[in-house]
Each structure stands twice: as structure tokens, then as C-alpha cells.
Amino acid sequence: MTPNQRLMVAVLLSVVFFVAYTAIFPPEQPEMAQVKQSNSKSDVASKNQQASNILPNSVSNVAGHEISPQESKVANDLSTLVTVSNKHFILKMDTLGRISSTELLDEKFNDKEDNHAQLIPATGTKPLFIRFLDTNLNEEATKTAYIANISALDVKDGAKKVVLTQKLSNLTVTKEITFYPDGHYDAKVLLSDNKRYFIYLGQRPEITEQMMTVSGAMVYTDDGIVTIVEDGDAEGRKTFSGVELISAFDQYSASIMYGFTKDTNIVIERDRDDNPVVYFEATQNIDFNGYIGQKEYKTLKSINPVLTNAIEYGWFTFASKPLFQLLLWLHGILGNWGWSIIALTLIIRVVLYPLTYKGMVSMQKMKNIAPQVKAVQAKYKGDPQRMNAAVMDLYKKHGANPLGGCLPMLLQIPVFFAIYRVLLNAVELQGAPWMLWVQDLSRMDSTFVLPILMGASMYYQQKLTPSNFTDPMQEKVFKFLPIIFTFFFVTFPSGLVLYWFVNNLFSIAQQFIVNQQFKNAKDIEVAIAHKTEKKND
């Protein structure tokens, strides 16, 4: 293969590699958030190390679901103590003072079985669960029910507060929780005596399990570092300080806690399935905030701008965030996410047009001189040095660059990666229609029309694109790529397939323009040559 052909194949393989990238080669996460070098930070680090060393095995056991028989009995006997509701969700708290369930009532958030989304898993730790360092005290706490000052709260018109109280032999625990209509809450925990204890974030939602999405736990620190521990990858104990938010998340939803003091000790451990479990060491009287719901950008920003960092796009966050902002702006104008995706694709193509145009022109030039290159290679077959020199002279004479058609395409790959992550993680696309049969851009096209159109457009684009394959087998493999991509895209969200399809259409239009320009130029050359020949006669 020539260098141009090798790079063309490399580009195509890079695209295939990317879509499997997240699942096959997840990025390594740092052991703990970076700590600034100052006296106060050194004190915090010392405190964290001390806390990490003295955390009892019993804490790790709860994280790993290895609960004692007594605790298991209490857990099975739990009943609902408080119900918080509005038209969008129903949240319940049990007699252990935990958020035991959160049900989303909007149909667009339904799970794969079309049931209402349940954000709190049936097993595992629950949000606001308290565990004491003292074993005897903790055993009593897991057998003593809380009492509430109210059993039902309707938050459709505004925030409402509930007070939970647990009276132990030598300690009284009070939880004051204010719930808001948008799904966030303010929590205040007060102890009548200073005892060491820990508050749990709870297990992540288990609603959306699409291929190539990341699920697990996140820690975002005040120095802008994001640490993600994916399900199945948790190992040992990781400790953090200076934390802005912690999140247990799946593709679209999350359980988040935030509003910590700088010296709050955040810990991630693993359960028996190597999934992350997050908790933090609390003080005698502590205030913090939480949110349970969908990772919708506008909602998170309205609650607290720091929560938008819970929407994570992987390595291409630097490009994905501004692209999503642009998509959001377009939606504000067009009012339809499908047309917004098409408009975004058009803008990207216009911005990248100089690169794509240069690449297309270079490929056309390479196609035109391909017969001459083949003749030179045959002529100097036994002398590689003379052959290479002659080929390079031929490139220079015709202004062709064997890398010119590929480098612009390689530079566009990060843009595709970024838009891919945006459309895969945007909860705003859930239940969002485009037109006709596409009524949910977050789900696959059950009619398969969009993937087929995408494959057909890719095939037609391939027919228009100049190629100089000399090996018939390579050319056959190249022709099968549209079929491979069609099957690959069948299960993708409709929004992502729509982007790729429209992108192909714009590429076809650009390629047609370039081909027509070369055809016109060639016709002019032929006409001039014919006129010159006639004049000489």
C-alpha cells in the first residue's frame, strides 16, 4: 500500500476504534485528588490519612453489602416513613432515615421495560444512611427506627421540610431535610453528643445500560480534577479532600451530594462486585446538599453551577462542553433537538470546510496522477531509491501531497469524538422527537430507516470520493465498510445516527463541488489543447 492508502485505512480504523474505546481502554484514574502545597492542606492530608487508618472493617463491610444478620433483618422489615412528591417524582424515606426510593413519573425517562425510572437500586447502600464508628452504637442505630414530624410532603408549589429523629440510649440523631421541586435537597444532621460517624452517598442509579457508556462514582475537587471510578474497577480505599461534589451515576441520571467544607474527608471503597461505594466522615453538626435526578444541564445549573461538572464527557470534555453549549443555544432558537443537531452539523462542516476542501483536492490530484505514479514504480522497480525520488518529483510537479488527503481528516477526528460524547450523554435527548418516525432521539431507530440511510449515504460518498487502490482485495474490503458501519450504528441513539447521516450528506455535497471543479478544469485544458492543436494545423 502507498503511504496515502495506509493513512486512509488508518483513519477509518481510528473511527471504529473510537466507538469501542471507552469499553476496551478506559483511562486510568488518579489514586486521589491533587492537594495544594500549603500548611492548611498538609493538615487536611494528615487528618485524611489518620481517618483512613482507623476506619473499622465494619464500615468496609457495609460498603461491600456484607451486613450482619441483625442488620439484614431490620433492612427487610423497613417501611416507608416519609413520602415526598410532585408531578415529576415520588421520593420515599424509610425508618432508618435513608432515601429508599426515587421514582421519576415522566414517561420520557422510563426504563427499557417502559416502567417508571427507579433511581435508587433495591440493593446496596442508600443516600443519607448513617453508620457509626462505635460498633455497639452502630448496632443499636440499625435496630432503632426514626420518627418523623410529617409523613407526606407535596413540593409541587415550593420547598418543604421534614425532621427525622432517632433516639438511642445515649444519643439523639436529628436529620432536618428540605426538599425542593427540582429534585435537590438541603440536609442538616445534628447529634446530641460528639460521636464519629459516616454518611453514605448511596449506590448509583441502574436505569440506562447502553453500550459504550460509563457508570460508577465521580469525585470533583476544587482544583478542577475529575476522578471517576467505574463499576467493576474499584479497588482498595481512595481518600479525597477539597471536594466540590460526589456523584454516583449512570448514563443519564445521578445521585449527587455537594456543599462540603474543604476539610471533609471523602472516601471511595469497593463492594463485593468491585463497584465503588462513596461516603464521607461527618461532624457533630453538619450541613450539606444533595440532588437525585437526571443530569439535565439547565436544571443542574439553576440549582448550583458546580453541579454541571457532574456531566462528564471523557477525555474530550474540553471540546464537548462548548459544543453542547452551542447545541443548547441552537435548541433555544429552533425548539427541536433534531433540527438543532442538523444545524450543529452544518456549522461544524462550515468551520472545517477549508480542511476538508484541501483534503478532497489533494485526493483528486493523487487520483489523477495515479497512472503516472504506477508507471514510474514499474520503470524503477529494481531501484527503490530512484523510484522514490522520481515519485516525489512527480508529486512536486503536479502539486500533490500523499499526506494532504489524510492529515485534514485526522484533524477532524477530535471533533467527531467530542460530538459523539455530547450526543451519547445528553439527557435532553430523552423523549425528544425530531419528525415523522423519529420520536425519541436518545433511543435506537426501531424502524432501522436512519441507519440504512446513513449506510446508503456513506456508500454514495465512497463512490464520489477519489481512490487509487491498486490491490483489488483492498478495494473490496473498502467497499464493505458502509455495510459494516450500518450494522454497527443500528443500536446507536437516533440522535447520533442523525448526526452521522447529515454529516455524510454535507460531505457528499462538498465532494460533488470539488469533483465538478476538477471536471471543469479538465474540460478547459482539453479545450485549450484542442484549440492550440487546431491553430498549429
Side-chain angles (χ1 to χ4, degrees):
M1 296 176 65
T2 65
N4 188 31
Q5 292 169 349
R6 286 197 295 269
L7 277 175
M8 283 291 294
V9 173
V11 170
L12 293 169
L13 291 177
S14 296
V15 175
V16 176
F17 163 82
F18 169 72
V19 290
Y21 172 79
T22 305
I24 299 176
F25 299 109
E28 293 183 2
Q29 301 297 339
E31 287 297 315
M32 61 183 295
Q34 294 180 356
V35 182
K36 296 179 181 179
Q37 299 299 320
S38 64
N39 291 335
S40 60
K41 288 290 184 179
S42 297
D43 294 339
V44 171
S46 176
K47 177 181 177 182
N48 291 345
Q49 184 61 42
Q50 179 184 11
S52 180
N53 290 337
I54 64 175
L55 286 178
N57 291 332
S58 58
V59 174
S60 301
N61 289 342
V62 166
H65 308 303
E66 299 170 10
I67 303 176
S68 67
Q70 294 87 349
E71 292 172 327
S72 178
K73 183 177 185 301
V74 172
N76 292 332
D77 293 341
L78 290 176
S79 58
T80 299
L81 184 63
V82 179
T83 300
V84 183
S85 63
N86 64 11
K87 66 179 181 178
H88 298 296
F89 66 84
I90 297 176
L91 181 149
K92 295 179 180 180
M93 299 194 70
D94 61 26
T95 51
L96 277 185
R98 312 175 305 175
I99 298 177
S100 55
S101 73
T102 300
E103 178 182 357
L104 300 183
L105 302 181
D106 295 332
E107 291 185 2
K108 66 179 181 178
F109 300 136
N110 286 2
D111 60 19
K112 291 182 289 187
E113 285 72 36
D114 209 29
N115 299 317
H116 284 164
Q118 301 288 342
L119 299 186
I120 308 296
T123 60
T125 56
K126 313 289 186 186
L128 298 179
F129 172 61
I130 287 180
R131 185 167 184 86
F132 290 94
L133 185 67
D134 185 295
T135 306
N136 294 329
L137 179 60
N138 189 71
E139 184 175 356
E140 181 185 3
T142 56
K143 297 177 181 178
T144 306
Y146 281 79
I147 58 174
N149 67 328
I150 188 172
S151 61
L153 291 83
D154 188 343
V155 294
K156 67 178 181 180
D157 297 323
K160 298 287 180 62
K161 180 179 178 180
V162 61
V163 179
L164 307 179
T165 306
Q166 185 184 47
K167 293 186 178 296
L168 306 176
S169 301
N170 300 307
L171 183 71
T172 299
V173 181
T174 303
K175 294 181 181 179
E176 299 178 1
I177 308 168
T178 303
F179 292 97
Y180 294 81
D182 54 18
H184 88 278
Y185 59 88
D186 301 332
K188 178 182 291 187
V189 180
L190 307 97
L191 271 60
S192 60
D193 193 9
N194 191 13
K195 302 290 184 180
R196 292 201 61 187
Y197 68 105
F198 310 90
I199 299 177
Y200 280 76
L201 171 65
Q203 301 297 110
R204 72 167 179 87
E206 298 176 356
I207 305 171
T208 308
E209 300 293 342
Q210 288 193 6
M211 182 177 60
M212 293 166 294
T213 57
V214 177
S215 299
M218 169 194 288
V219 175
Y220 177 77
T221 53
D222 55 8
D223 47 12
I225 293 178
V226 175
T227 301
I228 291 179
V229 180
E230 295 184 35
D231 283 352
D233 290 344
E235 53 184 23
R237 178 181 292 155
K238 300 178 187 294
T239 310
F240 304 83
S241 61
V243 172
E244 295 281 349
L245 70 84
I246 54 179
S247 172
F249 66 95
D250 71 353
Q251 182 180 5
Y252 293 130
S253 51
S255 175
I256 304 172
M257 288 182 179
Y258 61 102
F260 306 109
T261 58
K262 299 297 182 182
D263 59 348
T264 301
N265 181 46
I266 305 291
V267 181
I268 297 182
E269 288 192 346
R270 65 184 181 90
D271 64 12
R272 63 186 178 186
D273 297 320
D274 293 332
N275 296 330
V277 178
V278 188
Y279 58 90
F280 61 93
E281 183 175 3
T283 56
Q284 182 176 356
N285 299 321
I286 186 172
D287 296 89
F288 61 95
N289 313 98
Y291 170 80
I292 301 176
Q294 301 296 90
K295 293 184 289 184
E296 187 177 31
Y297 183 86
K298 287 184 177 179
T299 299
L300 296 179
K301 186 177 181 181
S302 66
I303 296 171
N304 189 325
V306 74
L307 296 185
T308 59
N309 293 289
I311 306 173
E312 197 271 335
Y313 301 104
W315 284 12
F316 289 89
T317 297
F318 71 94
S320 295
K321 278 192 173 182
L323 280 175
F324 178 74
Q325 294 296 319
L326 178 56
L327 183 64
L328 205 62
W329 178 76
L330 290 170
H331 180 261
I333 297 174
L334 301 174
N336 180 286
W337 286 107
W339 293 114
S340 300
I341 291 172
I342 293 173
L344 177 65
T345 309
L346 176 60
I347 292 173
I348 292 174
R349 296 300 303 189
V350 169
V351 171
L352 296 179
Y353 180 77
L355 284 175
T356 54
Y357 179 80
K358 183 177 179 181
M360 290 175 176
V361 168
S362 181
M363 290 171 67
Q364 186 67 51
K365 288 181 178 179
M366 291 297 297
K367 178 186 177 182
N368 291 343
I369 67 173
Q372 300 177 54
V373 172
K374 189 175 181 180
V376 168
Q377 290 172 339
K379 182 178 180 180
Y380 299 107
K381 187 176 182 180
D383 191 345
Q385 289 186 347
R386 291 190 65 185
M387 180 184 70
N388 291 335
V391 169
M392 293 307 297
D393 287 341
L394 194 61
Y395 288 157
K396 186 176 181 180
K397 178 182 177 181
H398 292 274
N401 184 352
L403 302 180
C406 298
L407 289 180
M409 295 176 67
L410 289 173
L411 292 174
Q412 295 177 58
I413 289 178
V415 177
F416 168 74
F417 291 174
I419 194 68
Y420 166 84
R421 296 298 304 185
V422 166
L423 298 180
L424 197 62
N425 291 313
V427 66
E428 286 79 1
L429 298 185
Q430 280 196 289
W434 174 38
M435 66 174 188
L436 301 176
W437 72 95
V438 181
Q439 295 299 311
D440 190 340
L441 290 166
S442 71
R443 299 191 178 188
M444 63 174 284
D445 181 0
S446 58
T447 66
F448 308 120
V449 173
L450 264 183
I452 291 173
L453 289 175
M454 186 278 299
S457 64
M458 188 175 181
Y459 174 77
Y460 186 66
Q461 179 188 0
Q462 194 181 83
K463 296 285 287 184
L464 287 178
T465 303
S467 63
N468 58 342
F469 284 108
T470 56
D471 186 349
M473 182 58 67
Q474 294 174 11
E475 189 172 5
K476 288 181 180 179
V477 172
F478 190 74
K479 287 181 178 180
F480 272 105
L481 284 177
I483 299 175
I484 296 172
F485 269 64
T486 299
F487 279 101
F488 203 73
F489 272 67
V490 160
T491 59
F492 275 23
S494 299
L496 187 60
V497 182
L498 176 63
Y499 163 76
W500 193 268
F501 169 57
V502 174
N503 187 66
N504 286 347
L505 294 182
F506 289 138
S507 296
I508 289 170
Q510 290 179 354
Q511 188 66 62
F512 182 81
I513 293 171
V514 171
N515 290 353
Q516 191 64 39
Q517 287 176 341
F518 270 85
K519 182 179 181 300
N520 294 341
K522 190 173 183 179
D523 291 342
I524 292 173
E525 288 179 5
V526 172
I528 293 175
H530 181 70
K531 185 181 292 185
T532 302
E533 182 180 349
K534 192 173 182 180
K535 184 177 180 180
N536 291 337
D537 291 342

